[in-house]
Amino acid sequence: DSGVTQTPKHLITATGQRVTLRCSPRSGDLSVYWYQQSLDQGLQFLIQYYNGEERAKGNILERFSAQQFPDLHSELNLSSLELGDSALYFCASSSLLGAGNTIYFGEGSWLTVV
Amino acid sequence: QQQVKQSPQSLIVQKGGISIINCAYENTAFDYFPWYQQFPGKGPALLIAIRPDVSEKKEGRFTISFNKSAKQFSLHIMDSQPGDSATYFCAATDTGFQKLVFGTGTRLLVSP
């Protein structure tokens, strides 16, 4: 168990809808990351927050947004969903900024768009 | 510049054999190279990592070999066991920036 908690574990929704994925980082970790894993794109970095502030942005669509709250939990909002958004979404956390600090992944949220 | 190329895509090794997975990168700013192991239904978990100031790092049965001039690094799993059957991802990032760039993954099957 990595200590990173993600909810929901599975989600099925229709095209055009909006969903929110929730992440609780490991206790004490200030940095939260979101990744998308799909068969054709592999593991893609979406966005990183550190202590409530956005620190890095990757291949995140404009229809997607995220935030990190004062209690350090994070939410990834996916809107106007398309079939191609079906994927496994991972949250990860680490204690500090900077390469070399271990990044711990949650077990992911499976999103199926039908 | 941001890509990390990983091979092979899949690998079958007999129990007790050596599993070798290779990765290559282009961005010379990368200076931290972790390997992650992922079991079905689970998130990736850090297995072992290396910085380019050393050419090899060993932890138990797992060894990373690093060739800075060739911009290549590889994972060796000695005495492979059926429990090692998983998908392995190499990754890379640069100092101060934790945007991990992942390889495409290698599905390893260790036959009994």
Side-chain angles (χ1 to χ4, degrees):
Chain A
D1 183 4
S2 67
V4 179
T5 304
Q6 290 187 247
T7 57
K9 291 193 183 302
H10 301 274
L11 189 58
I12 301 174
T13 190
T15 54
Q17 295 298 304
R18 181 180 188 272
V19 299
T20 297
L21 309 181
R22 194 179 191 278
C23 170
S24 294
R26 291 188 330 141
S27 178
D29 281 0
L30 299 177
S31 198
V32 169
Y33 314 79
W34 286 96
Y35 282 82
Q36 179 192 59
Q37 186 175 34
S38 60
L39 285 175
D40 57 343
Q41 296 290 325
L43 266 165
Q44 296 284 320
F45 170 74
L46 296 179
I47 198 164
Q48 179 200 5
Y49 281 82
Y50 180 78
N51 203 19
E53 293 187 4
E54 181 184 307
R55 293 302 299 254
K57 218 167 187 177
N59 303 319
I60 188 167
L61 300 173
E62 286 191 8
R63 299 183 286 108
F64 296 0
S65 65
Q67 54 183 326
Q68 185 180 27
F69 295 87
D71 66 353
L72 301 178
H73 91 272
S74 178
E75 292 181 356
L76 179 66
N77 300 295
L78 315 174
S79 62
S80 303
L81 286 167
E82 303 175 359
L83 295 177
D85 297 328
S86 296
L88 184 55
Y89 291 85
F90 285 109
C91 173
S93 73
S94 67
S95 56
L96 299 171
L97 288 175
N101 291 293
T102 302
I103 297 175
Y104 296 88
F105 284 77
E107 296 195 347
S109 292
W110 277 100
L111 173 65
T112 302
V113 182
V114 297
Chain B
Q1 279 279 320
Q2 291 296 314
Q3 278 189 322
V4 176
K5 295 182 180 179
Q6 183 172 348
S7 64
Q9 190 174 7
S10 62
L11 183 61
I12 301 175
V13 173
Q14 285 195 332
K15 179 182 175 182
I18 302 174
S19 304
I20 301 174
I21 304 170
N22 300 300
C23 285
Y25 64 98
E26 297 179 354
N27 188 343
T28 55
F30 288 154
D31 65 354
Y32 176 69
F33 304 88
W35 284 88
Y36 279 81
Q37 180 188 55
Q38 184 179 24
F39 291 104
K42 300 293 185 181
L46 179 66
L47 189 62
I48 186 173
I50 196 169
R51 291 192 179 274
D53 52 346
V54 296
S55 60
E56 186 175 283
K57 183 175 181 180
K58 184 176 180 179
E59 289 185 3
R61 296 184 294 108
F62 301 91
T63 299
I64 300 178
S65 297
F66 188 85
N67 186 330
K68 188 174 182 178
S69 61
K71 291 185 285 187
Q72 295 175 348
F73 57 111
S74 60
L75 176 70
H76 292 64
I77 306 174
M78 314 300 288
D79 187 26
S80 298
Q81 300 297 312
D84 296 331
S85 298
T87 300
Y88 292 81
F89 293 92
C90 61
T93 188
D94 54 11
T95 301
F97 187 48
Q98 288 181 290
K99 174 187 170 182
L100 281 174
V101 179
F102 282 90
T104 49
T106 296
R107 184 173 289 184
L108 171 65
L109 176 64
V110 181
S111 58

